[in-house]
């Protein structure tokens, strides 16, 4: 891994959200200087709600939203208006109130009947909208990820075959005791220019500390690490943003 690697601890989830929002603002400025749009993949779950609400409330005029393409890191296989949908959460907290052109918001079609075709369709969208790395994977500017209690991230869950997927960019799979999910795979996460884990709360912060340690150990030896620890940007930055509450 040649990018930067850092852990930042914040007093509150609001301060964590501010830091993540500032990262997006900088990444959009950098992309515009290079004459292109910036791309961000959103995390699901509950932690990012504070961030998305902040973006809707305080960043309307601080970011050139015409220069932003929004993707999703994963999705539950439910309709987009389902309370469990990650798109629904982001839409309610931000996208419905933001200024991103609707055709620049790319929802994961995880509610389709044919999930394999839907995953391939999303991969095509990624490939058509994003530059490709030398090893042929789409490059996202920024990926926001959460951390599950079992060490999962996006919808890369322990013990699932999705963890071993090294060619497809997007897979749909049935997660035992959870249900059907669609998720970006490690090759896409590891080709991002910046990956930020957003982790709030004491318990989750302790789990994050374990993930960070496992990720470091993975550099030297092939240990059994939790899925979140196996995100290893090849050239981009890996940042753990932790807040105690
Ligand atoms: C999902 C998320 C998942 C989430 C973690 C943390 O679809 O649930 O993508 O990876 O980020 O489970 O969720 P919380 O933020 O709710 O703790």
């Amino acid at each position: 891994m040649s990018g930067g690697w850092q852990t930042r601890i914040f007093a509150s989830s609001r301060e964590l959200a501010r830091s993540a929002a500032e990262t997006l603002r900088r990444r959009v400025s950098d992309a515009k200087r290079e004459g292109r749009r910036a791309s961000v993949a959103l995390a699901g779950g509950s932690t990012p709600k504070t961030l998305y609400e902040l973006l809707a409330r305080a960043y309307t005029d601080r970011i050139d939203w015409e220069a932003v393409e929004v993707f999703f890191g994963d999705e539950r296989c439910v309709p987009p208006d389902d309370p469990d949908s990650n798109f629904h959460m982001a839409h309610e907290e931000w996208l419905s109130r933001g200024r991103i052109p609707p055709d620049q918001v790319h929802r994961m079609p995880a509610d389709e009947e044919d999930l394999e075709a839907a995953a391939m369709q999303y991969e095509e969208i990624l490939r058509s909208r994003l530059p490709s790395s030398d090893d042929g994977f789409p490059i996202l500017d920024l990926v926001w990820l959460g951390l599950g209690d079992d060490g999962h991230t996006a919808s890369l869950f322990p013990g699932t075959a999705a963890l071993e997927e090294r060619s497809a960019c997007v897979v749909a799979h049935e997660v035992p005791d959870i249900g059907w999910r669609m998720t970006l795979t490690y090759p896409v996460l590891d080709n991002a220019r910046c990956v930020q884990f957003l982790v709030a709360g004491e318990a989750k912060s302790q789990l994050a500390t374990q993930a960070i340690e496992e990720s470091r150990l993975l550099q030297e030896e092939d240990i059994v690490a939790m899925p979140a620890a196996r995100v290893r940007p090849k050239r981009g930055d890996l940042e753990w943003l932790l807040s105690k509450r």
Side-chain angles (χ1 to χ4, degrees):
M1 207 173 82
S2 60
W5 175 326
Q6 60 176 333
T7 301
R8 293 211 296 274
I9 296 175
F10 301 90
S12 69
S13 56
R14 289 177 65 83
E15 288 178 24
L16 183 157
R18 171 69 68 179
S19 179
E22 283 299 299
T23 301
L24 177 60
R25 188 178 59 75
R26 286 194 302 276
R27 292 283 166 173
V28 175
S29 298
D30 293 350
K32 286 184 68 180
R33 266 197 296 280
E34 296 170 11
R36 60 183 180 82
R37 289 183 184 150
S39 55
V40 57
L42 306 187
S46 56
T47 302
K49 282 183 179 177
T50 309
L51 167 58
Y52 301 159
E53 189 276 332
L54 175 67
L55 289 169
R57 173 169 47 81
Y59 278 75
T60 306
D61 300 319
R62 293 168 64 93
I63 291 179
D64 176 3
W65 296 107
E66 297 282 334
V68 180
E69 298 260 1
V70 173
F71 298 86
F72 287 78
D74 74 318
E75 187 55 278
R76 291 86 180 274
C77 294
V78 295
D81 58 357
D82 187 300
D84 277 349
S85 158
N86 289 334
F87 171 82
H88 176 76
M89 183 272 283
H91 186 261
E92 290 298 295
E93 297 296 333
W94 169 29
L95 301 175
S96 58
R97 298 183 281 155
R99 289 189 180 163
I100 303 168
D103 65 348
Q104 290 172 211
V105 176
H106 307 288
R107 181 179 73 83
M108 266 190 175
D111 55 321
E112 301 269 326
E113 194 66 32
D114 182 342
L115 286 172
E116 189 175 351
M120 291 170 69
Q121 174 196 337
Y122 202 68
E123 174 157 341
E124 277 317 303
I125 292 170
L126 286 163
R127 290 184 178 284
S128 67
R129 312 287 295 206
L130 298 174
S132 271
S133 62
D134 296 346
D135 46 3
F137 291 99
I139 300 174
L140 286 157
D141 286 288
L142 178 58
V143 176
W144 282 324
L145 292 173
L147 175 65
D149 292 335
D150 59 358
H152 80 260
T153 192
S155 283
L156 296 166
F157 284 81
T160 60
L163 298 178
E164 307 314 324
E165 180 57 55
R166 290 291 164 185
S167 55
C169 296
V170 187
V171 295
H173 63 142
E174 186 172 17
V175 182
D177 303 324
I178 297 279
W180 279 87
R181 294 286 188 99
M182 187 175 286
T183 187
L184 298 183
T185 57
Y186 285 120
V188 178
L189 303 181
D190 291 350
N191 269 287
R193 293 188 172 93
C194 178
V195 174
Q196 286 189 319
F197 279 92
L198 313 176
V199 182
E202 184 62 43
K204 280 280 181 77
S205 290
Q206 287 177 12
L207 184 65
T209 304
Q210 181 190 335
I212 293 163
E213 182 52 28
E214 289 184 3
S215 201
R216 288 187 196 287
L217 282 172
L218 267 176
Q219 292 196 69
E220 278 90 46
E221 52 191 290
D222 188 17
I223 62 165
V224 176
M226 68 178 84
R230 294 172 60 173
V231 175
R232 305 169 55 67
K234 291 193 174 117
R235 61 191 71 80
D237 297 330
L238 175 60
E239 300 176 0
W240 286 83
L241 308 186
L242 315 181
S243 72
K244 293 298 184 193
R245 57 183 170 81

